[in-house]
Amino acid sequence: MTAQEIISFMLSLRNEEQRAVLMRFFKTASGQYGYGDQFLGIKVPQTREVVRHCGDLSLEEVPQLLQSPWHEVRLCGFLILVARFEALGKKRLVADGEAIRRRDEIVRLYLVHARQANNWDLVDLSAPRILGAWLLLPTHLTSADLPLPHPAGPSADIRRTLFDALAQSDCLWLQRMSIVSTWTATRHGQPAWALHYAEVHLRHPHDLIHKAVGWMLRDVGERCGLELLRRFLERHAHEMPRTALRYAIEKLSPEERKMWMNVPRA
């Protein structure tokens, strides 16, 4: 199996009717956030089926997929990395030295090509399961290994250094990675990551970040307790973008949702 064989097969699955639907859905028109992205019209389950047959693909071949102009081919590449990372993160391999080295290699490869995840689905289907899972696992990476500009005064914690670099980058998609990747930690009972990066992005100008912040806060409430969510809202509801606030309170009672939506704006 080679990257070129995968690309050729995926080109053969092209569906013009579905392509038009996807290009509208992912906002590819001039002036929209997905402007310029190109689709083949392949549905995600079809792409996942391709990934299922890529077990023998060399990791060195994956960048050819990630650099493709076709959205679905890039998704295939990212999902291959997800599958490899998850296989190396199984309980029996968590502290295995070779598994740690190979997981770190995947993280670096992911970061080198992270800007190719240039739409919300590419970010959301890959970052939580690679970067988010990496937050919870042993690593040998240092700040010198990160292929991203570091924020001023990098933290001694490599994880915080990386997530700060993503959050403070000039790229919307890297910024979204820094918040949606916290989903994994929240689901393992560690909501501090989501709460911190929700605050970092509180005044972000883009609706896609507002939605991500609200989504992560809603998950904190569901997974780690509504009191954590309420404490965050008590501090910030007056300054939160309305979209972020609506997403965050979505699972609360109608009466409580109304109360939070009526908090006077700063």
Side-chain angles (χ1 to χ4, degrees), residues 184-257:
T184 312
T186 296
R187 298 208 160 203
H188 284 78
Q190 299 184 34
W193 290 95
L195 295 170
H196 174 73
Y197 286 99
E199 285 188 328
V200 167
H201 291 301
L202 206 57
R203 296 183 180 276
H204 196 285
H206 204 289
D207 187 63
L208 283 175
I209 301 297
H210 303 169
K211 291 177 179 178
V213 165
W215 170 25
M216 294 302 106
L217 290 172
R218 183 182 68 213
D219 218 47
V220 166
E222 283 191 277
R223 301 285 172 171
C224 301
L226 290 176
E227 286 311 307
L228 276 176
L229 172 60
R230 290 182 179 120
R231 285 202 294 271
F232 187 96
L233 295 174
E234 286 167 1
R235 294 195 304 273
H236 298 298
H238 66 284
E239 59 181 336
M240 290 176 68
R242 305 310 274 179
T243 298
L245 182 56
R246 282 195 297 271
Y247 271 58
I249 64 177
E250 191 174 44
K251 296 301 179 72
L252 302 179
S253 69
E255 296 76 18
E256 189 171 2
R257 291 201 303 270

Side-chain angles (χ1 to χ4, degrees), residues 137-158:
L137 294 166
T139 182
H140 297 319
L141 290 178
T142 69
S143 59
D145 298 316
L146 300 181
L148 295 172
H150 301 163
S155 167
D157 181 353
I158 181 60

Side-chain angles (χ1 to χ4, degrees), residues 15 37 44 63 94 109 114 119 123 144 157 166 243 246 252 262 266:
N15 181 314
D37 203 355
V44 172
V94 164
L109 180 60
N119 214 312
V123 171
D157 181 353
L166 293 169
T243 298
R246 282 195 297 271
L252 302 179
N262 287 333

